[in-house]
Amino acid sequence: MKVLDRKLLRDLWAFRAQVLTLATLVICGVAVLVASWSAYISLQKAQVIYYAQNRFADVFAEVVRAPSDILERIRKIPGVELAEGRVVEDVLLDVPQQVEPALGRFISYDPQSLLNLIHLKKGRFPEGGSANEVLVHESFAKAHNLNPGDHFKALFKGKITRFVVVGVGISPEYVYAISPIAPLPDDRHFGVIWLNHAVLSRLNQMEGAFNSFVIRRESGASLGPLKASLDRLLKPFGSMGSYDRSRQISNMFVEDEIRQQRSMSAVVPGIFISIATFIMHIVMVRLVSLHRGQIATLKSVGYSSFHLAIYYWKLVSVILVIGLLPSFVLAYGIGQWYSGLYAEYFRFPQIDFSLSLQAVLLGLIAGFVPGWMASLTALLTVFRLAPAEAMRP
């Protein structure tokens, strides 16, 4: 073993308290950075794939009542690729083992639909000939422990109707299912329910009419002119104005969470890494100052400034490696915790968390580069010291 390598091991042991402190700060900063960025990538990927596979609509519009033939006129608007009409109605629910009523959003279900496709999680889809079969959103089903075969009641136009659950599913329109009258999610008191279109139209007295429209635009089509044409067409039927994904409630919450996750992956790790960099700078400057006589002596016996600078660079690098290696293990654990939180609030078919290669590379850069820059002043001091410094008291 070389002389300087033996000195490196002795110095690491002598300054073990400072080494562990710096390594801990690096672990915290890099672990949060890698976990947060990987979670951001995983959540964004889950959103993009889910929206694409289940054909999430681009434009939405609600009216009081519009005749079904209006749908053909909507499909002729320039820029419209697909347009579908449906019936949506919010009613009170009488759920077993809950004293207070819940709010249920019934949405007409059509097996031939091409937009906002439902992802079945359990059971089966309702059959067209059965008047009381419904598909329940997963969040509401879990809150009430509803499974295929269970029953609940709903109040339609003053008449109580009994429904049987045949399946549990999710939709890209309700990744984050929140009541229109509540600021926070409440799965016990709000649920999305899909019912056969003909049955829901009859119960809601909307035969031959729609009160909600979902539209998919053509690739490259501008949303502005499309929405303007749609608003002019639907205004006589009580439309308050169409809106795109940016104003769709569920998508707004998902997009906001993705933005917050991206911001957090920069802010929180930056605090830890900045503190570690500052302390690293102080420690290295003081260490070189303490070793002033040793450095000068080693220079006087033939060691070059370059070799001595490499020694201190190795010292910094070892400290950073001690911090970086455990940080990736910790990052994976934090990322799995993130996935559990997302699964609790956001209803995606799946969120596959893995340490992103991009996040790992960012972690390595964030760990090594600031640490090396923090030691730059100390390394320059090594080059400036003359062998005659060894003769000073």
Side-chain angles (χ1 to χ4, degrees):
M1 183 179 289
K2 296 181 181 180
V3 174
L4 290 180
D5 291 336
R6 289 199 297 270
K7 175 176 168 55
L8 176 63
L9 294 177
R10 287 197 302 268
D11 286 342
L12 286 171
W13 178 252
F15 293 97
R16 56 188 178 276
Q18 292 91 330
V19 169
L20 290 176
T21 300
L22 290 168
T24 301
L25 289 170
V26 172
I27 289 172
C28 294
V30 174
V32 174
L33 170 61
V34 174
S36 299
W37 195 263
S38 295
Y40 157 70
I41 295 295
S42 298
L43 185 60
Q44 188 180 54
K45 183 179 178 181
Q47 180 201 35
V48 171
I49 293 175
Y50 186 33
Y51 283 4
Q53 290 181 344
N54 291 68
R55 299 186 176 184
F56 186 37
D58 296 309
V59 180
F60 307 81
E62 283 81 38
V63 298
V64 176
R65 182 188 181 97
S68 56
D69 58 5
I70 197 71
L71 194 56
E72 289 302 321
R73 296 171 63 186
I74 293 175
R75 289 169 177 162
K76 293 178 182 179
I77 294 176
V80 172
E81 179 181 345
L82 290 172
E84 294 180 353
R86 57 188 185 172
V87 176
V88 178
E89 181 70 9
D90 293 340
V91 301
L92 293 179
L93 303 178
D94 182 8
V95 186
Q97 300 180 355
Q98 180 167 300
V99 177
E100 67 276 13
L103 180 67
R105 171 159 290 182
F106 277 78
I107 302 175
S108 60
Y109 166 71
D110 185 352
Q112 305 301 320
S113 176
L114 297 175
L115 295 176
N116 295 347
L117 302 183
I118 301 170
H119 179 86
L120 189 66
K121 301 282 285 190
K122 188 188 301 183
R124 61 175 174 82
F125 288 100
E127 294 180 355
S130 299
N132 64 340
E133 290 187 349
V134 295
L135 187 69
V136 179
H137 193 275
E138 184 184 38
S139 57
F140 187 72
K142 283 189 174 182
H144 292 278
N145 195 28
L146 292 175
N147 292 293
D150 292 337
H151 298 79
F152 64 87
K153 298 175 182 178
L155 183 64
F156 276 94
K157 304 298 182 182
K159 181 181 178 181
I160 295 177
T161 306
R162 190 168 180 262
F163 296 97
V164 59
V165 178
V166 297
V168 176
I170 56 176
S171 165
E173 190 177 1
Y174 293 97
V175 172
Y176 189 82
I178 186 170
S179 170
I181 59 175
L184 297 173
D186 185 357
D187 294 333
R188 291 192 61 81
H189 296 92
F190 175 74
V192 179
I193 301 160
W194 291 274
L195 176 62
N196 177 266
H197 178 78
V199 177
L200 182 55
S201 297
R202 176 175 52 81
L203 290 174
N204 199 35
Q205 299 175 7
M206 291 284 291
E207 294 95 335
F210 300 118
N211 63 2
S212 177
F213 299 92
V214 289
I215 297 166
R216 184 174 183 176
R217 62 172 171 170
E218 294 177 346
S219 178
S222 177
L223 282 174
L226 190 155
K227 290 194 296 181
S229 299
L230 181 63
D231 292 342
R232 286 193 299 269
L233 183 61
L234 296 180
K235 187 175 181 180
F237 304 102
S239 173
M240 298 296 291
S242 59
Y243 55 94
D244 55 34
R245 288 185 185 180
S246 64
R247 292 177 56 201
Q248 201 268 338
I249 294 178
S250 171
N251 185 69
M252 285 173 61
F253 276 95
V254 176
E255 291 285 352
D256 187 58
E257 179 61 30
I258 291 175
R259 285 192 296 269
Q260 289 184 25
Q261 189 64 53
R262 181 170 184 171
S263 298
M264 190 176 71
S265 65
V267 175
V268 178
I271 295 173
F272 285 102
I273 293 173
S274 297
I275 295 173
T277 301
F278 175 74
I279 297 176
M280 179 78 74
H281 172 74
I282 299 298
V283 168
M284 291 306 299
V285 169
R286 292 189 63 185
L287 184 62
V288 170
S289 179
L290 289 172
H291 288 179
R292 181 172 57 89
Q294 298 178 25
I295 295 170
T297 302
L298 289 170
K299 282 188 174 183
S300 66
V301 297
Y303 286 91
S304 65
S305 297
F306 177 77
H307 285 94
L308 294 173
I310 289 294
Y311 158 77
Y312 287 102
W313 176 81
K314 285 182 180 179
L315 180 63
V316 173
S317 299
V318 169
I319 295 173
L320 296 175
V321 169
I322 293 173
L324 283 170
L325 292 180
S327 66
F328 296 116
V329 178
L330 181 60
Y332 184 79
I334 296 174
Q336 292 298 324
W337 177 67
Y338 277 147
S339 295
L341 290 178
Y342 290 149
E344 184 177 351
Y345 293 101
F346 298 121
R347 300 298 171 181
F348 288 104
Q350 60 183 6
I351 301 178
D352 296 325
F353 175 84
S354 60
L355 292 183
S356 164
L357 177 60
Q358 184 183 23
V360 172
L361 292 176
L362 284 174
L364 292 172
I365 293 172
F368 279 117
V369 174
W372 288 338
M373 292 182 65
S375 63
L376 187 59
T377 302
L379 297 180
L380 292 176
T381 302
V382 171
F383 278 95
R384 287 196 297 264
L385 278 172
E389 289 287 336
M391 301 177 64
R392 286 190 178 185

